[in-house]
Amino acid sequence: MRGHDEELAIRADVFRWLDEQFIGHGGYEIHSSVLRSYHYGSEHIPLLDRGKGIRNPATFSSTLSIMSGWKANRYSDYESDDGWITYHYREGEGGDNTKLVRAWANGDPLVYFRAVREGFYIPYYPIVIAQNDPVARVVRFPLDQALTFLGDPLSYDEQKRRYAESIVRTRLHQPIFRARVLHAYSGACTVCDLRHSELLDAAHIVPDADEQGVAHVTNGLAMCKIHHAAYDRSLLGITPDFEVRIDQELLDEVDGPMLRHGLQDMHGRQIRLPSSRSARPDRDRLARKYELFARH
């Protein structure tokens, strides 16, 4: 068994490596094969375990990572609306459960891998298990550590609830929404076909603060940052028939190659659509957003 200081050093290196693999590659999603390729120096330490949702390396005293499966599992693990995960012990006593409880007792930081689709994950780290319930045989932890400081979700007042909802929406739901939208559009801007994920956003058609602004792929468009900004500010519109329109004042303006090639040349172009019809942008939402552009 490793010493605790060495374990903490490896965990810190895992977080550094995930920064490179996730944030450094556009914060999109990571395939399981990449997550199983991690090395600490020359030592191979997979971050996912095959066949189960908990990773307890033999030489570690406590859990290194937990993951949610793409499909429902017999343990009924779940994420609540307030951004907390309830994760069940495995059947039986000892084994993986011992290391899971020890991670809680020690306050050891770990990684939670949340499934986006089969084989692809978004990592949340560092995660610290906040609650252990040996009677219900579950542990609980927030996906964002800022939520820990708000206390028990059942005791939130209105101000804490609003703050928690803003964190859940921007820090937790948005990465999943982005990953699903970028996947639907094959990792390319719907307007100009740019394919660098680090330069792409998942733009909401109807803003997420609106009651119709659901974080669903049909309310999203994969856009590069310039087209996302132009769309949000009604300098660029998309008709319900999927055609790009550019604000007339911008069309008349003479500035330089960025304006000409980045925006003016997009006028009248048909957007790239997802191959799956069920993922295509909702025409009613496009029409609602286009009305704002037309009145601009």
Side-chain angles (χ1 to χ4, degrees), residues 1 52 54-57 60-63 89-103 137:
M1 195 72 67
K52 58 183 180 180
I54 188 168
R55 175 71 176 127
N56 285 319
F60 275 53
S61 63
S62 67
T63 298
Y89 292 10
R90 292 179 63 80
E91 292 178 352
E93 303 298 332
D96 289 322
N97 297 330
T98 298
K99 292 190 175 185
L100 179 65
V101 172
R102 190 176 293 139
R137 294 174 60 84

Side-chain angles (χ1 to χ4, degrees), residues 76 107 109 147 151 218 252 284 286:
S76 300
L147 295 172
T218 57
D252 294 339
D284 289 340
L286 285 175

